[in-house]
Amino acid sequence: MLYDITLEVTHDYASPANSGRHALRLMPATIPHEQTLLAGRISLQPEPSERQDRTDFFGNAVTDIAYRTSHRELSFKLMARVERTATPEAFDISASLKALERELAGIQSLGPEEPVHFLAASPRLPLDPAFAVYARERVDPDMSAISAVETIGKALYQDMRFDADATTVDTPALEAFERRHGVCQDFSHIMIACLRSIGVPAGYVSGFLRTSPPEGQPRLEGADAMHAWVRAWCGIEIGWIEYDPTNALRVGQDHIVVARGRDYGDAAPVKGVLRTAGGQTTDHKVDVVPR
């Protein structure tokens, strides 16, 4: 499946920003046998004083930019064409939760894809006993890792309520969990914490999701937003699988990967610092069009 993706992010500052540095993780990834970036461009207004494109530890494409001149508005625009391959779900030959611990103990590598990076607490996702209690009430040690992932994902879908106004990007996962509502970032963070608490390595994925309008209604341009979901390591035989707890389904052809990491901090689309005063407003538009 071919997709044309457009993303526009605009920041308006109450007072001019005199300087700033930002790291952008906006470009869709190329993943062998799953996804290919055929073409992509990030344009910036105003033009930055410095720009450097690099790859971070987890293999994500990063565009670093710096401004040394005053600006009151900052705009990022991504245009990309991506080919997404359908990957049929494999038979569940994943390790049991009991066996997963033994398999993890035998892994010595510290490469970016290794599960060791995704088992403990991470900078934006401290572990809390509440996550362990919730997870252990729903799984047992003899359950396969894939079954545990799907069981916890479906439970969160049933118990949580999607609410676009309930949280912000900085809301702690535990707070969203206690209130039982949030957005895709919260669903994903909570599921990651639950999985790690029972010994399943889990990480965060940011990207795009093709959405369809209600039957009989036209598709709205720019109505989509960036999405987030979970990847979990289910043993040596299976490796990593991806699950979308916001929609209670295994990730498929409609999910386009941009960045992966331990939590939102490793995959944030835009983060950085600037020198200004007063507030700011942000406008975020995404369009994912199949070709």
Side-chain angles (χ1 to χ4, degrees):
M1 175 72 74
L2 287 178
Y3 293 104
D4 284 342
I5 301 165
T6 303
L7 164 70
E8 293 184 64
V9 180
T10 302
H11 299 285
D12 287 296
Y13 307 125
S15 300
N18 295 322
S19 61
R21 287 187 174 273
H22 309 274
L24 312 179
R25 289 174 174 82
L26 301 173
M27 189 65 70
T30 289
I31 305 167
H33 312 299
E34 294 182 28
Q35 178 177 302
T36 303
L37 175 66
L38 300 176
R41 181 181 67 177
I42 296 174
S43 55
L44 309 161
Q45 289 294 331
E47 286 294 324
S49 305
E50 298 176 22
R51 174 172 177 163
Q52 179 182 7
D53 295 301
R54 63 181 173 90
T55 301
D56 69 13
F57 175 76
F58 293 110
N60 304 315
V62 185
T63 299
D64 292 317
I65 58 174
Y67 289 91
R68 293 192 292 271
T69 56
S70 179
H71 54 285
R72 194 152 194 162
E73 182 178 281
L74 181 57
S75 173
F76 314 121
K77 184 172 183 179
L78 164 76
M79 298 184 70
R81 173 164 286 188
V82 174
E83 183 177 19
R84 187 70 163 95
T85 304
T87 51
E89 292 184 13
F91 291 108
D92 185 357
I93 56 171
S94 60
S96 69
L97 294 180
K98 265 192 309 193
L100 201 63
E101 183 177 0
R102 294 193 298 271
E103 292 193 2
L104 284 165
I107 297 174
Q108 303 298 316
S109 172
L110 294 176
E113 280 287 306
E114 299 300 343
V116 64
H117 302 294
F118 303 90
L119 192 54
S122 50
R124 290 185 60 124
L125 194 50
L127 302 185
D128 187 277
F131 298 122
V133 170
Y134 182 87
R136 287 170 184 161
E137 286 176 348
R138 287 157 179 80
V139 302
D140 64 74
D142 293 319
M143 183 178 285
S144 74
I146 287 180
S147 293
V149 169
E150 294 181 336
T151 296
I152 291 173
K154 290 174 182 176
L156 289 172
Y157 179 78
Q158 292 294 326
D159 296 341
M160 297 274 295
R161 178 169 59 88
F162 185 89
D163 184 348
D165 300 317
T167 58
T168 71
V169 70
D170 295 316
T171 300
L174 182 59
E175 181 180 327
F177 180 58
E178 290 172 341
R179 295 180 179 179
R180 294 297 197 268
H181 61 190
V183 294
C184 57
Q185 174 185 313
D186 304 303
F187 277 69
S188 298
H189 272 164
I190 292 164
M191 183 173 174
I192 291 167
C194 288
L195 290 173
R196 290 178 184 174
S197 71
I198 58 169
V200 178
Y204 187 97
V205 187
S206 73
F208 301 102
L209 174 63
R210 174 195 177 191
T211 58
S212 302
E215 187 174 351
Q217 296 186 24
R219 188 175 182 279
L220 299 178
E221 296 294 327
D224 296 330
M226 288 199 75
H227 193 47
W229 57 92
V230 175
R231 68 192 307 237
W233 191 80
C234 294
I236 293 172
E237 290 292 330
I238 291 290
W240 294 95
I241 69 164
E242 297 191 356
Y243 190 90
D244 182 348
T246 310
N247 296 294
L249 50 82
R250 290 274 288 273
V251 165
Q253 201 170 13
D254 289 339
H255 292 74
I256 299 107
V257 175
V258 171
R260 292 165 166 169
R262 296 163 298 174
D263 56 34
Y264 173 82
D266 290 333
V270 180
K271 66 178 180 180
V273 295
L274 68 157
R275 181 176 293 176
T276 186
Q280 63 174 289
T281 59
T282 301
D283 186 42
H284 182 146
K285 296 178 182 177
V286 171
D287 205 30
V288 179
V289 180
R291 293 301 181 195

